[in-house]
């Protein structure tokens, strides 16, 4: 690996955390560069040259720049950690299904609920909680008899859903009804190289 990978991140972003988490789990040498979102660093140059959308995470691998957290997971797995993205077409399709879930129902459910309590985002809490309950039940049902979302080993599917699911209580979403989801989170946290995302005292975690 000739170049040290650079991941432009923000500590409280679950999207950024999934990129950093995967690089660490996969043993990929990388440097984390924190972006000052509060100061607007992501909305001006030179950051906008990397990602005109002005969002984290951004990955630099030599001359290659990859934006979008799930795209970063796919890129890193394909190039450096192929065991995390199965080559079997059926299993790969399953992984892609959970990447879509992470970008859809998880983003609009537990992630959005957390945005309300942590960042005062102008979303509808009842709507986000309804979506969160739906997706967590879906995950819990899927995990019956399984240790991982796809196949018999961790994949980028598990990484993609981890950050916002683990931090759902910060958005007022309890994980207590979802024992199998909590078991999956514990399994991920037990992997070598696991790095946590900082917690915030919000939602169910408020003092």
């Amino acid at each position: 690996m000739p170049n040290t990978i650079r991941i432009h991140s923000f500590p409280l972003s679950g999207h950024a955390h999934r990129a950093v988490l995967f690089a660490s789990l996969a043993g990929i040498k990388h440097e984390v560069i924190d972006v000052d979102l509060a100061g607007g660093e992501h909305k001006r140059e030179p950051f906008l040259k990397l990602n005109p959308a002005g969002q984290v995470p951004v990955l630099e691998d030599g001359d290659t720049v990859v934006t979008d957290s799930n795209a970063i997971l796919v890129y890193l797995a394909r190039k450096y950690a192929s065991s995390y993205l199965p080559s079997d077409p059926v299993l790969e399709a399953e992984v892609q299904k959970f990447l879509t879930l992470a970008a859809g129902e998880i983003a609009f459910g537990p992630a959005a609920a957390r945005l309300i309590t942590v960042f005062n985002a102008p979303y509808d809490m009842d709507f986000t909680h309804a979506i969160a309950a739906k997706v967590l039940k879906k995950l819990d049902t899927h995990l019956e008899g399984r240790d991982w979302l796809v196949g018999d080993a961790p994949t980028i599917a598990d990484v993609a859903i981890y950050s916002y699911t683990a931090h759902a209580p910060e958005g007022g979403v309890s994980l207590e009804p979802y024992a199998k989801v909590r078991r999956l989170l514990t399994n991920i946290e037990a992997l070598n190289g696991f790095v946590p995302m900082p917690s915030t005292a919000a939602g169910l975690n408020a003092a």
Side-chain angles (χ1 to χ4, degrees), residues 119-203:
F119 299 105
N120 297 312
Y123 302 143
D124 184 316
M125 183 66 85
D126 289 340
F127 175 80
T128 63
H129 279 195
I131 297 297
K134 178 182 176 182
V135 70
L136 288 170
K137 183 177 180 180
K138 181 184 297 186
L139 287 172
D140 210 59
T141 299
H142 174 80
L143 285 164
E144 179 67 41
R146 300 171 180 265
D147 290 325
W148 307 101
L149 287 174
V150 178
D152 299 322
T155 67
I156 58 172
D158 303 293
V159 179
I161 69 93
Y162 174 80
S163 305
Y164 288 121
T165 302
H167 288 259
E170 295 174 18
V173 177
S174 175
L175 296 176
E176 284 303 311
Y178 312 105
K180 293 179 283 294
V181 170
R182 288 186 280 110
R183 187 184 71 234
L184 174 64
L185 299 179
T186 299
N187 290 345
I188 295 169
E189 290 160 3
L191 293 171
N192 290 333
F194 174 80
V195 289
M197 184 168 81
S199 296
T200 57

Side-chain angles (χ1 to χ4, degrees), residues 17-72:
H17 177 254
R18 71 176 60 142
V20 174
L21 173 60
F22 181 56
S24 184
L25 291 177
I28 300 168
K29 185 178 180 182
H30 63 283
E31 174 187 3
V32 177
I33 301 168
D34 286 336
V35 179
D36 181 9
L37 299 193
E41 182 182 355
H42 58 308
K43 298 299 184 182
R44 59 177 181 265
E45 302 295 352
F47 186 85
L48 289 176
K49 290 182 180 178
L50 294 174
N51 185 4
Q55 298 173 334
V56 294
V58 175
L59 180 138
E60 291 184 274
D61 184 10
D63 293 332
T64 300
V65 176
V66 184
T67 61
D68 181 87
S69 59
N70 286 344
I72 289 171

Side-chain angles (χ1 to χ4, degrees), residues 70 73-75 77-79 82-101 149-153 155-158:
N70 286 344
L73 296 185
V74 172
Y75 173 84
R78 280 282 184 227
K79 189 169 183 181
S82 59
S83 66
Y84 277 86
L85 183 55
S87 58
D88 176 84
V90 174
L91 293 180
E92 183 177 3
E94 282 288 298
V95 169
Q96 294 293 341
K97 181 177 72 176
F98 286 105
L99 297 186
T100 299
L101 192 78
L149 287 174
V150 178
D152 299 322
T155 67
I156 58 172
D158 303 293

